[in-house]
Amino acid sequence: MRLSEEQALRQAEERLAELTDVSPRQIRSHSHSRLAGRIGQPDLIVEAGPHTFVIEFKRSGAAGSVAGAIEQAKRHAAAVGKRAIPLVVVPFMGESGKRKCEEAHVAWMDLSGNAQIFVPGLRVLVEGKPNRFKLRGRPSSVFAPKSSRIARWLLMHPAQAIAQRELAVAAGVDEGFTSRIVSRLEEDNLVVRETSGAIRPRNPGVLLDAWREVYDFGKHVILHGHVAARSGDELLRRLASTLRDRGVDHAATGLGAAWLYTRFGGFRIVTFYLRDEPPPALLQALSFREESRGANTWIVTPNDDGVFQDARHLDGVRCVHPIQTYLDLKGHPERASEAAAQVRLKIFDDSADA
């Protein structure tokens, strides 16, 4: 289902009447025409009882769109009046979008029935309603395996504006493909194009959040198994040594790589990307026994070779870039969420030092 903006705003009005327990006949809505030409107009202003909501509508609840909506809604609300409430409205709010709104202390509502509005005199929290606006078929994504090479390069060089043609070469994709992905990133408010035409991330943190929200480690081919070892660190180094000695193109990720980057926490599960599917002889050399229960070794054949971009050696172990490590931790157990937070800090500390 795809709504026009007019339909969406009408639904937002009706939904606010329900959430604030105000009769639809008591709802007053209008655009704030006196702001036009100076700072632009909010999409809609709704007066529901004692509350005045300044609405910014976006067609996507992804991190980039929501981040832009938050800025606009807050700016418009400040211009409308001291008590005006900025409200972000989307068809369906994603997890990263929710987090952005919470961090900015901005109310949000989606047209699928979910909402979080905590303001003086009103507390509304509705969760768990399914997305009513899913597109049929498999939607294209700027973070699909090949497409994500664009975002990966931009995140690895967040302060560098790059011409689109140069970006295509750097990411290893053709110019037409790059143009389509960059256009989508612009639509999602994730990149900016400078007057020269060069591209850079609008906000690297938002771009990374948008990618992580849709990232699925399970889309790679994962072989779960067990290798006898006294500790995760010993296992990590022994496997790395065997793979290196046998000339196998590899890189550690997940908890082991996070530990090498941050020295945060112990770990049991060791994960390696191998460029090619491992033959039985290699598994035997690794003393790898395939089993899911109690697995401490994950051997992964990636769905795109981009995961190896800018891999580096740490204490004798080749690891994927911290960005890839951060994404992959989403699919790991143990203390993966805490480890991911530490890796994220490293990503942006490194960017600041670059």
Side-chain angles (χ1 to χ4, degrees), residues 213-244:
E213 183 175 10
V214 299
Y215 184 76
D216 185 355
F217 183 69
K219 295 292 185 181
H220 303 294
V221 178
I222 306 171
L223 196 60
H224 299 88
H226 189 271
V227 175
R230 291 190 298 271
S231 68
D233 184 52
E234 181 209 345
L235 177 59
L236 177 69
R237 297 180 187 282
R238 177 147 48 88
L239 294 181
S241 177
T242 301
L243 293 169
R244 183 179 61 248

Side-chain angles (χ1 to χ4, degrees), residues 5-236:
E5 182 169 331
E6 183 180 352
Q7 291 172 317
L9 293 174
R10 192 179 306 120
Q11 285 195 21
E13 250 183 272
E14 294 168 357
R15 182 68 178 144
L16 271 177
E18 294 174 12
L19 294 176
T20 57
D21 197 25
V22 172
S23 166
R25 286 178 292 182
Q26 295 177 294
I27 291 281
R28 294 174 55 199
S29 61
H30 50 91
S31 63
H32 216 326
S33 58
R34 68 182 174 84
L35 301 177
R38 183 155 60 87
I39 59 170
Q41 288 183 263
D43 290 329
L44 189 69
I45 297 175
V46 174
E47 296 178 27
H51 304 289
T52 299
F53 295 94
V54 179
I55 292 176
E56 189 66 31
F57 171 71
K58 295 292 182 185
R59 296 188 182 280
S60 169
S65 293
V66 172
I70 288 170
E71 293 176 9
Q72 292 169 319
K74 290 177 74 172
R75 187 171 67 246
H76 292 318
V80 168
K82 193 172 182 180
R83 295 186 178 181
I85 301 164
L87 177 66
V88 173
V89 176
V90 295
F92 181 77
M93 184 66 81
E95 290 302 320
S96 293
K98 291 179 188 177
R99 189 164 59 251
K100 292 293 176 192
C101 288
E102 289 171 9
E103 291 169 354
H105 305 291
V106 168
W108 64 267
M109 178 177 74
D110 69 28
L111 303 180
S112 295
N114 304 287
Q116 182 169 308
I117 305 173
F118 295 164
V119 296
L122 180 66
R123 290 183 65 84
V124 174
L125 178 62
V126 184
E127 298 179 310
K129 302 291 186 181
N131 185 356
R132 295 175 46 223
F133 300 88
K134 281 185 178 179
L135 298 176
R136 293 186 179 182
R138 182 182 178 183
S140 59
S141 170
V142 293
F143 302 115
K146 182 180 176 183
S147 306
S148 64
R149 296 184 190 186
I150 302 294
R152 180 182 282 107
W153 195 95
L154 292 170
L155 284 167
M156 287 177 180
H157 310 83
Q160 180 179 340
I162 184 172
Q164 195 164 285
R165 178 173 294 180
E166 293 173 3
L167 178 58
V169 173
V173 292
D174 66 60
E175 289 184 40
F177 183 85
T178 300
S179 178
R180 292 192 296 275
I181 298 304
V182 168
S183 293
R184 285 283 306 279
L185 288 167
E186 285 185 281
E187 289 174 14
D188 291 342
N189 205 39
L190 294 172
V191 300
V192 292
R193 191 184 295 271
E194 299 189 340
T195 53
S196 64
I199 308 298
R200 62 174 174 79
R202 179 179 295 276
N203 181 319
V206 172
L207 178 57
L208 183 59
D209 288 344
W211 189 357
R212 191 173 193 269
E213 183 175 10
V214 299
Y215 184 76
D216 185 355
F217 183 69
K219 295 292 185 181
H220 303 294
V221 178
I222 306 171
L223 196 60
H224 299 88
H226 189 271
V227 175
R230 291 190 298 271
S231 68
D233 184 52
E234 181 209 345
L235 177 59
L236 177 69

Side-chain angles (χ1 to χ4, degrees), residues 212 233 236-237 251-267 269-271 312 314-315 317-330 332-347:
R212 191 173 193 269
D233 184 52
L236 177 69
R237 297 180 187 282
T253 189
L255 294 157
W259 184 81
L260 289 172
Y261 277 119
T262 67
R263 292 296 193 260
F264 174 80
F267 60 96
I269 295 174
V270 170
T271 306
R312 66 276 308 270
L314 299 174
D315 292 350
V317 178
R318 187 170 186 248
C319 298
V320 297
H321 189 277
I323 290 169
Q324 189 65 47
T325 302
Y326 175 74
L327 294 170
D328 290 337
L329 284 166
K330 183 180 176 183
H332 282 69
E334 299 178 17
R335 298 179 68 187
S337 59
E338 297 168 80
Q342 295 300 312
V343 173
R344 184 188 173 90
L345 289 175
K346 176 174 177 55
I347 290 169

